[in-house]
Amino acid sequence: AQTVTQSQPEMSVQEAETVTLSCTYDTSENNYYLFWYKQPPSRQMILVIRQEAYKQQNATENRFSVNFQKAAKSFSLKISDSQLGDTAMYFCAFFYSGGGADGLTFGKGTHLIIQP
Amino acid sequence: DAGVIQSPRHEVTEMGQEVTLRCKPISGHNSLFWYRQTMMRGLELLIYFNNNVPIDDSGMPEDRFSAKMPNASFSTLKIQPSEPRDSAVYFCASSLRGRARNEQFFGPGTRLTVL
């Protein structure tokens, strides 16, 4: 079974700063996908960024980028030029389609607060 | 395009009552997932369907929980009888299995409170 660990329950930074959220995972599989989801107070789950394990290049989406270290099983999210609207819970998620299991395995989340 | 639709958005009921949560996946998606979110346990997969067939229900906590998907555009999650510990936010998500992106799109969730 896969596990996902987010070691930072809460983080707080000033607006316009850069912040990095950490995520580690454990798996014996080689081909899988990793995601970061954002959950604002509205509780809607919003996909922020995704990474395929077979790709060496780190994914980027505007101000959001990841640092994917496959050997270390690490998948951190960097938010540049943080904005007040980035305040939310952020969940790291693992996906492996194999053995009949297609669901996402989530970490416990990091509550990110952007201060004005 | 409409996203995943869930109803009701909020449900308050008394212990022992039957609760039915509903989900309409994104048109064309062939996989549907039910997740539960609590403070203690975080987000957990309850069950998922592929082409309307339940594939993995190992996350369903007890026999009080049941899920159906009678057609490609509708699914229900039923709790009977409900208990206070079932209070949580229940999410439905859908995806197009087999596509490389493997992205799951979530509905707005149903906040269930069992008194």
Side-chain angles (χ1 to χ4, degrees):
Chain A
Q2 284 71 228
T3 59
V4 178
T5 302
Q6 293 179 250
S7 59
Q8 305 150 312
E10 185 170 291
M11 296 187 70
S12 180
V13 299
Q14 297 294 123
E15 191 177 8
E17 290 183 347
T18 294
V19 60
T20 298
L21 309 183
S22 65
C23 172
T24 58
Y25 58 94
D26 188 25
T27 183
S28 58
E29 306 300 337
N30 192 46
N31 293 317
Y32 49 86
Y33 300 80
L34 296 162
F35 303 89
W36 279 98
Y37 279 87
K38 170 184 177 181
Q39 187 178 40
S42 67
R43 77 167 179 255
Q44 178 71 50
M45 295 290 288
I46 303 165
L47 178 64
V48 174
I49 199 166
R50 64 190 291 274
Q51 175 79 43
E52 295 92 332
Y54 63 86
K55 290 187 177 179
Q56 292 185 336
Q57 186 174 8
N58 289 324
T60 62
E61 288 286 344
N62 301 313
R63 297 183 296 107
F64 298 87
S65 61
V66 299
N67 183 5
F68 174 50
Q69 301 290 328
K70 190 173 183 179
K73 296 180 182 175
S74 172
F75 182 60
S76 61
L77 174 69
K78 185 171 82 171
I79 305 174
S80 303
D81 186 26
S82 58
Q83 301 174 359
L84 297 179
D86 295 333
T87 293
M89 285 291 294
Y90 286 82
F91 293 95
C92 179
F94 175 99
F95 174 85
Y96 168 67
S97 179
D102 271 12
L104 289 165
T105 301
F106 287 92
K108 295 294 187 185
T110 296
H111 185 204
L112 176 64
I113 301 168
I114 309 299
Q115 305 276 7
Chain B
D1 289 340
V4 176
I5 299 171
Q6 290 188 248
S7 65
R9 294 293 306 276
H10 303 273
E11 177 80 26
V12 180
T13 190
E14 292 189 346
M15 183 174 63
Q17 296 298 306
E18 176 180 298
V19 175
T20 299
L21 311 182
R22 298 173 176 79
C23 175
K24 177 179 170 56
I26 292 173
S27 178
H29 282 188
N30 56 8
S31 290
L32 183 139
F33 307 81
W34 283 100
Y35 292 89
R36 179 172 69 174
Q37 184 178 31
T38 61
M39 289 294 292
M40 290 296 295
R41 300 176 66 87
L43 279 152
E44 304 173 284
L45 176 68
L46 299 178
I47 185 172
Y48 88 92
F49 296 83
N50 190 41
N51 292 322
N52 313 338
V53 177
I55 302 299
D56 181 7
D57 65 354
S58 60
M60 297 285 263
E62 300 172 31
D63 292 344
R64 298 183 297 105
F65 286 69
S66 63
K68 294 182 179 180
M69 191 165 187
N71 56 62
S73 59
F74 184 66
S75 176
T76 60
L77 178 67
K78 184 177 294 186
I79 308 173
Q80 165 63 18
S82 58
E83 296 183 3
R85 60 191 167 127
D86 301 332
S87 297
V89 179
Y90 291 82
F91 287 101
C92 176
S94 71
S95 71
L96 186 56
R97 190 173 189 268
R99 295 295 296 271
R101 297 182 67 82
N102 286 305
E103 294 176 6
Q104 294 185 17
F105 296 85
F106 283 75
T110 295
R111 179 177 292 281
L112 172 64
T113 302
V114 183
L115 303 174

